[in-house]
Amino acid sequence: MTAMTQPAAHPATHPALRTALCDLVGVRYPIVQTGMGYVSGPELTAATAAAGGLGILAGATLTLEQTRTAVRAVKERTDAPFGVNMRGDASDVLERGELLVQEGVRIASFALAPNERVIRRLKDAGLVVIPSVGARRHAEKVQAWGVDAVVVQGGEGGGHTGPVPTSILLPQVVDAVDIPVIAAGGFHDGRGLVAALAQGAVGIAMGTRFLLTSDSTVPDAVKAEYLRRGVDGTVVTTVLDGIPQRLLRTDPVERLLRQKALGRAGRSLKHAVAFQRVSGISWRDMVREGLAMRRRHDLGWSQVLMAANTPMLLRASMTEGRTDVGTLASGQVVGVIDDLPSCQELIERIVAEAGAVLTRLAAPRAAAKPA
């Protein structure tokens, strides 16, 4: 059995950092580690949770039984609250919700929100449901369906993302809904946390920043690829799966950008076969989910076929270290990250920086300097 991580001795924090998010999910700090496929495994999730943030286990790329095993691995490492990320369009989403209830996990996270029926069933089971959205209308819709909070990701964020920057999207969504809003896209330090709170958010969610920690199990060679990038080192493209996503501008991505459509279709078919084998999802369910994706995003059939690219190319890089063939989802914030702290060090740093900023802003203005 893995030794359980002991809770850190937390320093006193500024009272403004005790937000509605902390009360909703039972964490000490309003900081969320997002559920990144092939990245947010038990080690990273437990380290975040033990440090006082909300760790989200990436369950969307796992089978049902793999998810159960991973959940138990987190619980062996910490008794702090954590969540599990799932696919809202997965055919077994209700079974996964029941798994969370059985295992005592309270928070269900979604990259794309499930439908109203599923949300109601999960809520009836006692789960806190927190989907991610990229537009005001999506936030309004899921609020009407009964979710507890939303993560709002601006265009700076990594992976699938939208065109509106966080600084514009966040206040727009905060003004439109009455549920807690968590800000994502472009965050890495205490100043960003304070800025998000000032715009009405109840906390921040970070992916790239947590990927680049010593607790992340991503191979060192992959982390090195991230650390050497500047703020212009990412690109937003639809070539992978027909939906815009932000990636590091690596050689494989450059090749994909140059590749003709026929070549991309052939590669997509190969990856679809590989994903079916690895995930254990039946072909029938894959077709059903493909049809749902086609309707939701107005995709053509070739784009639906391409959707198998993302998990397989991410798996190649994030678990096997194959940066020569895999892709690397990344937020623009990668360009201002230059170290690999532990999750505890990172969270304590952010909280200390945020507290210092809040204290400075609340202090009386210094007397005007003499001429």
Side-chain angles (χ1 to χ4, degrees):
M1 178 180 290
T2 304
M4 181 172 288
T5 302
Q6 295 300 314
H10 299 291
T13 59
H14 193 286
L17 298 180
R18 179 74 190 187
T19 72
L21 173 62
C22 302
D23 297 330
L24 177 65
V25 298
V27 296
R28 186 176 180 88
Y29 304 124
I31 299 171
V32 179
Q33 162 250 304
T34 59
M36 299 166 280
Y38 303 112
V39 176
S40 303
E43 298 85 356
L44 181 60
T45 302
T48 302
L54 178 62
I56 303 291
L57 179 70
T61 52
L62 303 176
T63 66
L64 187 65
E65 285 310 307
Q66 287 171 340
T67 301
R68 187 186 304 277
T69 299
V71 164
R72 291 178 176 177
V74 177
K75 291 164 62 178
E76 288 176 350
R77 290 169 167 81
T78 181
D79 57 5
F82 67 97
V84 175
N85 182 256
M86 301 182 286
R87 288 182 58 182
D89 59 353
S91 60
D92 61 352
V93 63
L94 292 176
E95 293 177 72
R96 290 171 181 266
E98 179 59 30
L99 183 155
L100 300 193
V101 173
Q102 293 170 358
E103 296 294 335
V105 178
R106 291 185 54 243
I107 302 105
S109 159
F110 294 91
L112 293 173
N115 61 39
E116 182 176 9
R117 179 184 67 87
V118 170
I119 289 173
R120 298 293 183 189
R121 291 279 296 276
L122 295 177
K123 290 280 295 174
D124 289 345
L127 293 172
V128 174
V129 179
I130 307 178
S132 294
V133 298
R136 181 183 66 185
R137 67 182 185 278
H138 298 154
E140 292 171 333
K141 178 182 289 187
V142 296
Q143 174 181 254
W145 289 351
V147 303
D148 296 278
V150 289
V151 175
V152 173
Q153 178 174 306
E156 302 94 322
H160 291 120
T161 197
V164 183
T166 306
S167 59
I168 304 297
L169 180 62
L170 174 59
Q172 183 187 43
V173 172
V174 167
D175 290 345
V177 300
D178 299 321
I179 55 178
V181 176
I182 303 159
F187 296 102
H188 72 105
D189 63 7
R191 294 173 298 178
L193 174 55
V194 173
L197 297 180
Q199 291 189 310
V202 297
I204 56 174
M206 305 183 296
T208 304
R209 177 65 276 196
F210 276 107
L211 184 155
L212 293 173
T213 60
S214 60
D215 293 303
S216 164
T217 58
V218 169
D220 290 343
V222 174
K223 292 179 183 178
E225 281 288 322
Y226 280 87
L227 290 175
R228 69 184 186 86
R229 303 289 167 164
V231 293
D232 59 351
T234 65
V235 61
V236 177
T237 178
T238 61
V239 300
L240 243 62
D241 59 6
I243 306 171
Q245 78 177 277
R246 187 179 293 280
L247 309 165
L248 285 189
R249 191 184 281 274
T250 58
D251 289 342
V253 169
E254 295 287 2
R255 290 196 298 270
L256 287 172
L257 293 172
R258 294 192 299 267
Q259 195 172 36
K260 294 181 179 180
L262 183 60
R264 289 199 297 268
R267 185 192 69 246
S268 299
L269 179 59
K270 180 177 70 174
H271 288 154
V273 173
F275 181 61
Q276 190 276 334
R277 184 170 59 249
V278 170
S279 67
I281 299 174
S282 70
W283 281 109
R284 180 179 179 180
D285 287 341
M286 285 187 69
V287 170
R288 182 185 297 118
E289 291 172 19
L291 288 170
M293 181 178 292
R294 184 171 187 261
R295 289 192 299 268
R296 181 181 293 114
H297 299 289
D298 193 27
L299 302 179
W301 285 112
S302 62
Q303 292 174 310
V304 172
L305 180 60
M306 288 163 59
N309 285 333
T310 299
M312 294 312 300
L313 293 176
L314 277 174
R315 183 172 182 267
S317 56
M318 297 304 181
T319 66
E320 302 166 15
R322 293 293 308 277
T323 59
D324 57 325
V325 296
T327 55
L328 305 170
S330 176
Q332 282 184 298
V333 74
V334 70
V336 293
I337 296 174
D338 59 7
D339 63 350
L340 297 170
S342 68
C343 289
Q344 180 178 331
E345 291 167 341
L346 173 62
I347 290 176
E348 289 183 353
R349 180 199 303 174
I350 291 173
V351 170
E353 289 173 350
V357 172
L358 289 164
T359 299
R360 174 173 57 81
L361 293 175
R365 281 185 150 192
K369 293 182 179 179

